Amino acid sequence: MNFNESEERVALRKVTAELGRKYGHEYYIKQARTGGKTNELWDEAGRLGYLGVSVPEEYGGGGAGIGDLAAVCEELAAVGTPLLLMVVSPAICATVVARFGTDEQKKRWLPGFADGSVRMSFAITEPDAGSNSHRITTTAKRDGEDWVLSGRKVYISGVDEADAVLVVSRTEDAKTGKLKPALFIVPTDTPGFEYRQIEMDIVSADKQFGLFLDDVRLPSDALVGSEDAAIAQLFAGLNPERIMGASFSLGIARYALDKGVAYAKERQVWGTPIGAHQGLAHPLAQVKIEVELAKLMTQKAAALYDSGDDFGAGEAANMAKYAAAEAAIHAVDQSVQTHGGNGLASEYGLGTLLSAVRLGRIAPVSREMVLNFVGQHSLGLPKSY
């Protein structure tokens, strides 16, 4: 058992952080407040190969694992330039296409994922289904060689930046008549596909959207992989999503903690740095412990996933996502408290994170559903829902 990251990943973390600092938190907040995008940062990260580290080498990627992609996500967030679409496009969508896509789909999409020139959103959540994916009502029906897709989705990230959306729908089993999940790649310019922005109080460069699919006609090759493998395909993408979500929260937690510690060292009251007082030192130390524990679980989840242990990765990824979200909330809250009134001043770059980190408790899976999973699958307790 080795708790030291490889030299390659350590180097990847270093150059990624340097890239993020080149743009800085001020760049990110300016784009977020003005409705702008982080295209310059995304495009440069893509050209340098950071977004495609986990794409297979034969398609122009780095051929590494989800752990390396998670490191990129964490380091960008840790310097104040978080890219939420990384959780979706290269992690979920590229992984699903790489593992289950046809040869044609891989050739069509993976090189773009590798260099960042392709962005793809992921649509699973529905207004009336919530956390219960078994109640998804978006359906796909055969019409000759084509598919016709109808339904609604909600809280879908980055659709305005995406070339296509990987939509989770359901098809009818010809033998049983029951509906089963299926994944379709839907280009955002397809007739019948519409999206509308959902106004949010979170200051973020990545926006949320509601999708409306009104008899969207798709060619037969829009279906990803086999009709009969959709459950496996779906969870192949959801485990990386949770790992990346954990890394996203970890990065923000590190950013907030670093700000709090720096201020506690510099700010003096009565001739003494405020960090010398245990009332501030101990809560910051607690946050540090929480961050390190969450990081270990995230690395474990990535290692299990990259080894092919999907079930083990599922348990660890859920735990990592839970732990990282809690660490981020505590880190931001304590950093704001350490700054006092300055914690809510725009120039210190913390106030906007108060609501943003709450997202980690809700998405991509709620804290309560993680606890349900651990209770049922890890502890063997009766199913509660």
Side-chain angles (χ1 to χ4, degrees):
M1 187 176 293
N2 187 356
F3 292 96
N4 296 315
E5 290 188 314
S6 67
E7 292 182 6
E8 291 79 7
R9 187 177 295 178
V10 171
L12 178 62
R13 285 184 179 276
K14 180 180 178 181
V15 294
T16 301
E18 289 172 354
L19 174 63
R21 290 191 193 97
K22 172 182 171 182
Y23 289 86
H25 188 62
E26 294 77 11
Y27 159 83
Y28 179 85
I29 286 297
K30 179 181 178 182
Q31 299 303 100
R33 290 191 185 279
T34 61
K37 302 298 177 187
T38 53
N39 291 333
E40 298 90 349
L41 173 56
W42 178 280
D43 291 343
E44 185 166 359
R47 287 194 302 272
L48 293 170
Y50 304 160
L51 301 180
V53 292
S54 61
V55 173
E57 288 184 274
E58 58 264 40
Y59 298 100
I66 196 67
D68 294 287
L69 186 65
V72 172
C73 181
E74 181 187 336
E75 293 304 321
L76 288 174
V79 294
T81 54
L83 296 179
L84 181 60
L85 203 57
M86 276 199 70
V87 179
V88 179
S89 186
I92 305 174
C93 300
T95 297
V96 169
V97 172
R99 287 187 62 172
F100 296 99
T102 64
D103 289 340
E104 291 73 18
Q105 287 168 340
K106 292 176 182 179
K107 293 175 183 176
R108 165 70 179 85
W109 296 105
L110 290 181
F113 284 124
D115 64 15
S117 60
V118 162
R119 305 184 201 191
M120 190 179 290
S121 294
F122 178 69
I124 184 171
T125 306
E126 294 190 358
D128 299 321
S131 298
N132 186 358
S133 57
H134 295 289
R135 292 188 61 189
I136 286 175
T137 58
T138 298
T139 55
K141 296 181 179 179
R142 282 282 193 185
D143 185 8
E145 292 297 314
D146 294 343
W147 291 96
V148 178
L149 193 62
S150 296
R152 287 184 60 192
K153 300 290 182 181
V154 69
Y155 294 115
I156 310 306
S157 302
V159 182
D160 58 334
E161 304 176 63
D163 302 280
V165 180
L166 184 61
V167 176
V168 180
S169 67
R170 304 178 80 181
T171 61
E172 186 177 51
D173 190 306
K175 295 180 180 179
T176 66
K178 294 182 179 180
L179 293 176
K180 56 186 180 180
L183 305 178
F184 291 88
I185 296 176
V186 183
T188 52
D189 60 357
T190 304
F193 178 92
E194 296 182 10
Y195 58 91
R196 298 174 193 168
Q197 184 174 331
I198 301 170
E199 294 299 325
M200 307 286 289
D201 286 336
I202 297 174
V203 179
S204 173
D206 300 280
K207 308 305 180 185
Q208 301 296 313
F209 296 87
L211 305 187
F212 303 86
L213 301 101
D214 185 13
D215 290 338
V216 175
R217 184 170 292 273
L218 301 169
S220 59
D221 61 2
L223 175 69
V224 178
S226 166
E227 290 183 61
D228 301 319
I231 284 289
Q233 292 169 189
L234 182 57
F235 282 97
L238 294 184
N239 282 338
E241 179 187 41
R242 284 150 174 70
I243 293 167
M244 292 291 285
S247 298
F248 189 85
S249 290
L250 275 173
I252 294 176
R254 287 173 50 199
Y255 173 80
L257 180 59
D258 287 347
K259 299 277 282 187
V261 169
Y263 192 82
K265 291 177 179 178
E266 297 166 2
R267 173 69 168 163
Q268 292 199 14
V269 178
W270 298 297
T272 304
I274 60 175
H277 302 297
Q278 292 177 351
L280 290 179
H282 284 184
L284 290 170
Q286 286 179 298
V287 169
K288 173 64 173 176
I289 292 170
E290 291 181 22
V291 169
E292 292 301 321
L293 291 173
K295 188 170 182 176
L296 280 173
M297 183 54 77
T298 303
Q299 290 173 324
K300 177 182 178 180
L304 288 170
Y305 183 83
D306 289 335
S307 73
D309 183 356
D310 285 341
F311 183 80
E315 178 185 56
N318 275 301
M319 291 180 176
K321 181 266 172 193
Y322 178 100
E326 296 303 305
I329 289 171
H330 297 160
V332 171
D333 183 69
Q334 187 54 46
S335 188
V336 168
Q337 191 69 24
T338 301
H339 281 73
N342 285 336
L344 299 177
S346 296
E347 71 172 284
Y348 289 88
L350 288 169
T352 56
L353 297 179
L354 283 169
S355 59
V357 289
R358 289 294 279 102
L359 180 63
R361 271 188 181 165
I362 300 167
V365 59
S366 72
R367 175 177 60 175
E368 290 72 24
M369 289 305 295
V370 170
L371 293 174
N372 283 337
F373 179 95
V374 172
Q376 180 183 345
H377 296 286
S378 303
L379 300 179
L381 295 173
K383 188 174 181 179
S384 61
Y385 59 96

